């Protein structure tokens, strides 16, 4: 998979993309991440990428031209399955969308700044708008890193234990059951005995029960038809 990220702050990705699972995915050639500095695509001699908002009011707007030129340059080189803009008013990003995006070949993620991007870009170039939550950040770089991380860890051969992503929260409309590791007894706080029983069937049942209980308590909104599926 190839991910092209358009940003005016490429340096912001050095941390999230150069450690741990994403680093390993890149080293194993499971993903190629290309960062593009939007300023490289402006013809303005001061390399400006933003301008005042038509109609007045506070805040600058990202200009059409440099972003359009960057997208057009990339589209001339290959076909993109999705051109994503990170936006607080976009569709709420969820696991199901991460799953879908992880099956694609080439995607672009455009990171907004200031008051956002000129509406004509949204109308004519963007194919998908994603919000990572109902709050406003100062730029799309963190959302782009969040979206990329959630996709990359799903690519085959990235996580060492292939089944591990499948048992994560949300994959079955349930949150994860609690997990424990050694020691068995920490200052009198003990691990549930079933987990030491060696009985895989019992352990699976216990984990499913716990997942259902937790989802009902903490995230009942995830259960689409509670009575039918989990009674
Ligand atoms: N004026 C805009 C907010 C601009 S914030 C509004 O009210 O909708 C600047 C940029 O940060 C946005 O263009 C977007 O790319 C990014 N951003 C901020 N919050 C975000 C969120 N919750 N999800 C995705 N992107 C976000």
């Amino acid at each position: 998979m190839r991910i092209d990220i358009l940003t005016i702050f490429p340096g912001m990705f050095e941390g999230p993309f150069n450690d741990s699972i994403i680093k390993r995915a890149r080293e194993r050639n499971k993903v190629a991440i290309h960062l593009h500095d939007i300023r490289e695509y402006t013809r303005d001699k001061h390399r400006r990428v933003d301008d005042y908002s038509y109609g007045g009011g506070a805040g600058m707007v990202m200009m059409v031209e440099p972003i359009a030129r960057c997208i057009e340059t990339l589209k001339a080189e290959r076909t993109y399955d999705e051109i994503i803009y990170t936006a607080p008013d976009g569709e709420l990003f969820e696991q199901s969308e991460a799953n879908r995006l992880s099956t694609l070949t080439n995607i672009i993620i455009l990171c907004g700044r200031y008051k956002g991007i000129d509406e004509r870009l949204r109308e004519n170039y963007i194919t998908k708008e994603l919000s990572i939550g109902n709050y406003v950040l100062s730029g799309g770089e963190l959302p782009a890193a969040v979206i990329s991380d959630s996709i990359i860890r799903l690519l085959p051969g990235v996580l060492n234990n292939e089944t591990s992503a499948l048992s994560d929260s949300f994959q079955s409309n349930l949150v994860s059951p609690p997990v424990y590791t050694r020691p068995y007894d920490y200052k009198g706080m003990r691990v549930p005995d079933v987990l030491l029983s060696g009985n895989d069937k019992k352990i699976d049942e216990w984990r499913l029960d716990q997942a259902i209980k937790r989802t009902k308590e903490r995230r009942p909104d995830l259960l689409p038809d509670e009575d039918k599926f989990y009674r």
Side-chain angles (χ1 to χ4, degrees):
M1 179 177 200
R2 175 180 168 121
I3 304 177
D4 289 274
I5 297 180
L6 280 48
T7 171
I8 56 168
F9 295 115
M12 283 187 74
F13 294 92
E14 270 159 33
F17 289 166
N18 287 321
D19 269 310
S20 184
I21 288 169
I22 300 192
K23 179 186 179 193
R24 200 171 66 205
R26 297 175 73 188
E27 285 170 356
R28 290 181 184 173
N29 292 322
K30 304 294 178 194
V31 67
I33 303 173
H34 295 262
L35 299 171
H36 304 275
D37 186 342
I38 295 166
R39 283 190 204 284
E40 305 286 329
Y41 292 83
T42 161
R43 289 200 173 128
D44 182 85
K45 64 173 189 280
H46 304 292
R47 307 218 306 161
R48 273 185 69 175
V49 292
D50 60 304
D51 210 334
Y52 295 102
S53 184
Y54 268 117
M60 304 299 278
V61 176
M62 291 184 87
M63 298 157 77
V64 177
E65 205 204 6
I67 292 172
R69 186 174 301 127
C70 183
I71 293 176
E72 273 159 14
T73 305
L74 291 171
K75 278 170 77 173
E77 291 162 3
R78 67 195 62 75
T79 306
Y80 283 91
D81 303 302
E82 210 73 271
I83 301 177
I84 299 165
Y85 172 51
T86 60
D89 58 351
E91 169 189 318
L92 205 56
F93 183 63
E94 297 199 338
Q95 187 63 43
S96 53
E97 178 66 358
N99 293 349
R100 187 185 74 84
L101 293 175
S102 76
T103 67
L104 304 182
T105 309
N106 300 314
I107 64 169
I108 289 175
I109 308 179
L110 168 61
C111 308
R113 278 273 154 183
Y114 315 112
K115 291 297 277 180
I117 60 172
D118 189 302
E119 187 66 19
R120 290 165 289 184
L121 285 163
R122 301 177 74 163
E123 284 170 1
N124 297 295
Y125 290 87
I126 301 302
T127 61
K128 189 93 197 170
E129 301 192 330
L130 296 175
S131 162
I132 64 159
N134 292 330
Y135 40 81
V136 177
L137 297 160
S138 37
E141 285 75 14
L142 295 173
V146 165
I147 293 166
S148 300
D149 184 300
S150 71
I151 297 170
I152 293 166
R153 64 192 296 284
L154 295 171
L155 298 175
V158 170
L159 293 186
N160 279 332
N161 179 352
E162 287 285 341
T163 61
S164 147
L166 292 176
S167 60
D168 281 334
S169 291
F170 310 117
Q171 286 295 12
S172 51
N173 289 322
L174 296 173
V175 300
S176 273
V179 291
Y180 300 87
T181 188
R182 291 187 291 181
Y184 167 69
D185 187 331
Y186 181 72
K187 298 181 178 172
M189 296 175 269
R190 295 204 180 90
V191 175
D193 285 319
V194 60
L195 295 175
L196 289 84
S197 67
N199 183 331
D200 287 343
K201 190 165 168 279
K202 278 230 149 61
I203 292 170
D204 285 349
E205 278 168 14
W206 181 85
R207 285 187 169 148
L208 180 62
D209 280 353
Q210 290 292 314
I212 294 168
K213 184 167 163 265
R214 285 212 157 186
T215 310
K216 283 181 175 169
E217 281 167 9
R218 299 176 184 203
R219 296 297 307 275
D221 57 298
L222 293 176
L223 295 170
D225 193 346
E226 197 179 342
D227 289 341
K228 195 162 142 206
F229 290 107
Y230 296 114
R231 204 167 33 196

